Amino acid sequence: MAEDTFPGWHGTTIIGVKKGGEVVIAGDGQVSLGQTVIKGTARKVRRLKPGGHEVVAGFAGSTADAFTLLERLEAKLEATPGQLARASVELAKDWRTDKYLQKLEAMLIVTDGADLFVITGAGDVLEPEHDVTAIGSGGNFALAAARGMMDSDKSAEDIARAAMAIAADICVYTNGRLTVETIRG
């Protein structure tokens, strides 16, 4: 296919919810090419353990690009054990300045159970204001749904699951096959 007619990969909604001493990252399993679902069971939320410190990461965007970023994040975490904020900033700086990394098309949500960040290729390391963040095709739907539930009695996991169900009902690039990882601070 010519580059100007390539329908583009779509898919994934990733949400991070911090509440009650725990952080949950949940992601769906859909990968679409144009109007076709290529795979419905992709695993886009991973538990990492560099240097013995657990971190949970979820990614949206190109899978190969995301794995490259996860490998770089692991290396940064090994160099700065237990310092997620510092490792995230270092990754964002490299991503923004390195000519190879600049071409990567993905975003990450990462947490160590205490901090919750979104890392982008624009050099951003964003900490959500309301303890909830989301990325990907259905990210805005999931974010709005979760924000509406944050004052409820629901746990972080219940909020993440309910918000993802709402996003899956609205966004054609999001499905209900979730991977959910929980980590305590």
Side-chain angles (χ1 to χ4, degrees):
M1 286 184 137
E3 191 171 320
D4 59 351
T5 62
F6 186 77
W9 293 95
H10 292 282
T12 302
T13 300
I14 305 292
I15 190 166
V17 179
K18 182 178 179 180
K19 185 176 181 186
E22 66 182 12
V23 183
V24 173
I25 296 183
D28 78 312
Q30 185 163 312
V31 177
S32 304
L33 177 60
Q35 298 176 354
T36 305
V37 175
I38 301 296
K39 184 174 184 176
T41 59
R43 192 167 183 271
K44 301 169 196 162
V45 177
R46 308 279 175 161
R47 187 174 292 270
L48 312 172
K49 202 167 182 178
H53 297 275
E54 281 196 314
V55 171
V56 175
F59 61 86
S62 167
T63 304
D65 291 356
F67 281 133
T68 299
L69 293 168
L70 289 175
E71 287 174 5
R72 297 271 181 145
L73 178 62
E74 278 188 298
K76 299 293 183 187
L77 286 164
E78 287 172 0
T80 59
Q83 298 180 52
L84 180 61
R86 183 173 176 192
S88 297
V89 168
E90 291 298 318
L91 174 63
K93 284 194 314 192
D94 287 355
W95 193 353
R96 183 164 170 81
T97 59
D98 183 283
K99 292 213 183 284
Y100 167 74
L101 294 178
Q102 285 175 357
K103 296 178 183 182
L104 300 183
E105 296 180 6
M107 291 179 76
L108 302 174
I109 294 177
V110 298
T111 184
D112 58 2
D115 293 315
L116 177 64
F117 300 116
V118 175
I119 308 172
T120 76
D124 299 314
V125 177
L126 306 169
E127 187 172 16
E129 289 182 324
H130 303 283
D131 291 332
V132 61
T133 191
I135 57 175
S137 299
N140 288 335
F141 305 120
L143 178 64
R147 291 259 319 261
M149 291 183 263
M150 287 300 285
D151 290 333
S152 73
D153 292 337
K154 292 181 184 251
S155 69
E157 182 172 341
D158 289 342
I159 291 171
R161 286 182 181 278
M164 289 296 292
I166 291 168
D169 281 347
I170 298 170
C171 178
V172 297
Y173 300 114
T174 302
N175 71 19
R177 294 184 179 154
L178 301 182
T179 301
V180 179
E181 292 285 347
T182 303
I183 188 169
R184 292 199 161 276

